Amino acid sequence: MNSETPTPGSYAVDVRTGILGEVMGHEGPYVQLRPLSGGREWDVPPESLRTAGTLEELSAKVNEFNRTRRLLP
């Protein structure tokens, strides 16, 4: 990722795994991401991040919406 630090609430991809997450904050030298489906945050070195594209964000949100929708009675 470039030299600018991602802001909480934005979306980034951990290039080591290809997983998109929401930026939750910073802990020491790491950026903390959380899966869009919720769950445990993980730490990512800033050099292993890239900003998520608009289509990636939209696709992930639609997938999560569909996943939770199937769980409703």
Side-chain angles (χ1 to χ4, degrees):
M1 189 165 209
N2 58 25
S3 61
E4 77 181 46
T5 306
T7 57
S10 64
Y11 297 95
V13 176
D14 181 342
V15 298
R16 302 170 304 173
T17 61
I19 298 174
L20 179 135
E22 181 178 358
V23 176
M24 301 307 293
H26 309 278
E27 186 65 38
Y30 300 102
V31 175
Q32 295 179 313
L33 295 182
R34 177 175 285 163
L36 296 186
S37 58
R40 191 177 177 122
E41 297 172 359
W42 76 97
D43 294 332
V44 184
E47 64 273 7
S48 295
L49 285 176
R50 72 171 172 78
T51 303
T54 304
L55 291 177
E56 286 176 305
E57 284 184 42
L58 182 59
S59 178
K61 288 177 181 179
V62 167
N63 287 337
E64 181 56 24
F65 174 80
N66 288 336
R67 186 188 72 77
T68 58
R69 183 88 169 139
R70 280 186 285 247
L71 299 176
L72 296 175

